[in-house]
Amino acid sequence: MTAPDPDGLLAEQLLRLTRRVHRIQKRHLEHRDLGITPAQSRLLRTLAHYGSPPRMADLAERLEVVPRAVTTLVDGLEAAGKVRRVPDPASRRVIRIELTEDGGAALRELRGARRSAAEEILAPLTDEQRAVLGGLLDTLIDGPGIGEGRRTA
């Protein structure tokens, strides 16, 4: 007989929660009928974090994927009118990617879908439990000591 593995159980719970989050977010996205894949959604969210249009290589690095994967995502989003390729004013060999007005609207819808999914997932928790969970997640994401005091109830 083997002893229980509490870390193994926690790892399994985290994986199951991650899968559930993805399923629920995907369902909320499908209900909004945006025609955007989860990978395209991630690229749009990443693109929104830049102050000026990034290069494809910048996006690939930030997304931790090969540049070819970004090209495929940008091709699909460009065909859907969500992003556009623009020349770099400093170097005509460099192409940058910017969000279109339609892409900005899609991004707002995506954020709404993510918020709705989070509300559904967190619904069983009290405010106090949510605050504790937030602190625990901060610690797991940022490391010990960094997330302390960032969240309020």
Side-chain angles (χ1 to χ4, degrees), residues 119-131:
E119 288 169 6
E120 181 177 333
I121 290 165
L122 298 172
L125 301 180
T126 65
D127 288 344
E128 183 178 327
Q129 289 171 322
R130 288 176 190 215

Side-chain angles (χ1 to χ4, degrees), residues 26-92:
K26 185 177 178 185
R27 181 169 37 85
H28 281 266
L29 281 175
E30 288 170 353
H31 278 61
R32 292 174 187 251
D33 197 27
L34 295 173
I36 295 175
T37 67
Q40 289 172 329
S41 165
R42 185 169 173 237
L43 187 136
L44 286 175
R45 289 191 320 270
T46 300
L47 189 56
H49 289 291
Y50 285 92
S52 60
R55 299 172 309 140
M56 298 267 256
D58 299 329
L59 288 169
E61 185 177 328
R62 174 85 58 94
L63 293 168
E64 298 179 347
V65 298
V66 296
R68 177 71 193 130
V70 171
T71 300
T72 301
L73 292 172
V74 168
D75 287 346
L77 288 168
E78 187 175 39
K82 308 291 188 232
V83 301
R84 68 178 145 254
R85 289 173 166 93
V86 295
D88 184 307
S91 172
R92 62 184 183 162

Side-chain angles (χ1 to χ4, degrees), residues 95-118:
I95 299 295
R96 297 190 173 270
I97 308 303
E98 73 178 9
L99 206 56
T100 63
E101 191 174 310
D102 193 29
L107 189 57
R108 287 186 291 280
E109 284 290 320
L110 290 168
R111 287 178 178 145
R114 288 172 61 98
R115 210 171 13 262
S116 296

Side-chain angles (χ1 to χ4, degrees), residues 10-21:
L10 283 172
E12 180 60 29
Q13 288 174 308
L14 286 171
L15 291 172
R16 288 176 46 211
L17 177 60
T18 300
R19 286 191 296 265
R20 182 167 184 243
V21 167

